[in-house]
Amino acid sequence: MVVVLDTVSSSQVRPRHPEKVNRPDNFSPQKPDWIRVRAPTSRGYSDTRKIVKENGLVTVCEEAGCPNIGECWQKKHATFMIMGDTCTRACAFCNVKTGMPNALDANEPAHVAEAVRKLGLEHVVITSVDRDDLADGGAEHFAQVIRAIRAACPTTTIEILTPDFLRKPGALEVVVAAKPDVFNHNLETVPSRYLTVRPGARYFHSLRLLQRVKELDPTIFTKSGIMVGLGEERPEVLQVMDDMRSAEIDFLTIGQYLQPTRKHHVVSRYVTPDEFAGYEKVAYTKGFLMVSASPLTRSSHHAGEDFAKLKAAREAIAR
């Protein structure tokens, strides 16, 4: 890694993660062959990027440095990140910028809907930064985006990946009332790692959030995911699975944590593909309708295809 210091320019560029600047460098192990991906170069990738930029949108694919961006954008699949590109929290694993966000863009719901229409998406994933600065955490904005997509693209199914709306009474109810097809909120890691990995959140609040979605509207699919390679133990992962099933979560994702920069949480180890396959097998025995577990699994990876499988699994049980 090369670090360039600008001693000439009078304007100082604000670091992406100011809260992590003074932390010591963390050195992760070298990536194994199974975790490597090709750089995006396809025509489909370029077309998707053009539509995103023309509509002034932000994607988590770019902001979080997703390793699957080349594959997904080639298929014109993008996960839109609403409410800006700056998060009010500073999780140790995340590459999204931290700071005080700008005011909400009232035109964003329409722009997102237009991009969905131009891309011809059958299934769209909408996520956001944490907006602890807003009275409702951005719940009404989420609802407006869902309604705008429904109006512009009535046949498109909608999956949302939301913050935890911590200490925002009534926020969850606003989002659920807009009736997304899938409600995703990631637990991210096992409870013992929260203080170092996800200090601004609370494990049992996140779990209860997903349980509450089912209580409000049992027809909505619920989904959650964790990363491995953060220092967790296998029994802890299995306990999280049990906790999720107690909350009636339908869909579980498990992926390898990858360190965005040396200032972020270190990778404790790279979990092998065989171990991921083992987690997937166990998860299905615990009753999940859908499980995706692999080194490159991410919340919205193959979301459209997985949604079709999710519906089929529910229908098979109902027969």
Side-chain angles (χ1 to χ4, degrees):
M1 179 182 291
V2 177
V3 179
V4 178
L5 298 178
D6 183 359
T7 59
V8 178
S9 175
S10 59
S11 62
Q12 295 297 315
V13 178
R14 187 176 186 271
R16 185 178 182 86
H17 300 287
E19 79 288 351
K20 296 180 174 70
V21 168
N22 294 320
R23 292 184 182 179
D25 286 352
N26 293 315
F27 295 91
S28 294
Q30 185 176 355
K31 290 181 183 177
D33 291 339
W34 65 74
I35 208 74
R36 300 182 186 279
V37 294
R38 294 181 179 179
T41 58
S42 69
R43 174 65 181 274
Y45 170 86
S46 299
D47 290 345
T48 301
R49 189 174 188 277
K50 181 179 179 182
I51 290 172
V52 168
K53 299 307 176 186
E54 284 178 347
N55 286 275
L57 301 175
V58 178
T59 68
V60 74
C61 320
E62 296 170 293
E63 297 302 317
C66 180
N68 301 313
I69 188 171
E71 176 190 351
C72 293
W73 282 28
Q74 179 182 355
K75 300 175 183 176
K76 293 190 176 181
H77 294 170
T79 297
F80 299 109
M81 189 167 77
I82 60 175
M83 298 192 278
D85 64 354
T86 304
C87 187
T88 53
R89 299 192 191 173
C91 296
F93 65 87
C94 187
N95 198 39
V96 174
K97 288 191 296 186
T98 298
M100 179 54 70
N102 294 323
L104 295 179
D105 178 1
N107 296 317
E108 185 173 53
H111 290 159
V112 172
E114 178 63 9
V116 172
R117 187 189 68 78
K118 287 181 178 178
L119 288 167
L121 298 182
E122 295 179 1
H123 185 83
V124 62
V125 182
I126 307 296
T127 188
S128 79
V129 291
D130 273 288
R131 290 298 302 258
D132 295 314
D133 59 310
L134 301 175
D136 68 348
E140 176 58 29
H141 199 75
F142 255 108
Q144 289 176 13
V145 171
I146 294 170
R147 291 193 290 265
I149 295 171
R150 293 277 188 232
C153 311
T155 62
T156 298
T157 50
I158 301 171
E159 179 172 331
I160 58 172
L161 172 55
T162 76
D164 60 12
F165 301 118
L166 188 62
R167 302 183 186 92
K168 308 293 182 183
L172 177 65
E173 287 76 4
V174 170
V175 180
V176 171
K179 293 190 74 68
D181 296 281
V182 181
F183 192 111
N184 186 1
H185 172 66
N186 286 330
L187 297 184
E188 305 293 7
T189 187
V190 301
S192 68
R193 306 304 301 157
Y194 260 56
L195 285 178
T196 54
V197 174
R198 199 181 177 220
R202 299 295 179 267
Y203 176 79
F204 287 105
H205 171 81
S206 287
L207 200 63
R208 175 60 182 148
L209 182 89
L210 289 157
Q211 184 180 43
R212 181 66 178 146
V213 172
K214 281 293 188 184
E215 292 172 355
L216 293 167
D217 190 339
T219 67
I220 296 176
F221 289 104
T222 50
K223 179 177 177 180
S224 190
I226 62 170
M227 300 168 287
V228 289
L230 285 161
E232 72 292 328
E233 299 292 337
R234 178 178 171 83
E236 293 181 292
V237 175
L238 301 184
Q239 182 61 58
V240 168
M241 291 183 190
D242 289 337
D243 292 345
M244 286 186 180
R245 288 304 301 133
S246 294
E248 298 186 76
I249 293 169
D250 300 304
F251 189 168
L252 167 66
T253 61
I254 306 177
Q256 172 69 53
Y257 166 64
L258 298 176
Q259 185 183 24
T261 73
R262 289 179 180 173
K263 299 297 182 181
H264 285 77
H265 195 291
V266 69
V267 176
S268 65
R269 73 185 187 97
Y270 291 102
V271 178
T272 67
D274 285 346
E275 289 177 272
F276 277 106
Y279 279 138
E280 181 174 312
K281 184 175 181 179
V282 171
Y284 273 120
T285 67
K286 290 180 181 291
F288 289 97
L289 291 180
M290 183 73 193
V291 182
S292 179
S294 73
L296 290 176
T297 289
R298 296 296 182 268
S299 294
S300 56
H301 194 209
H302 299 156
E305 297 95 322
D306 288 344
F307 178 68
K309 295 175 184 176
L310 197 58
K311 287 196 301 180
R314 175 186 279 178
E315 291 166 1
I317 292 175
R319 291 192 191 113

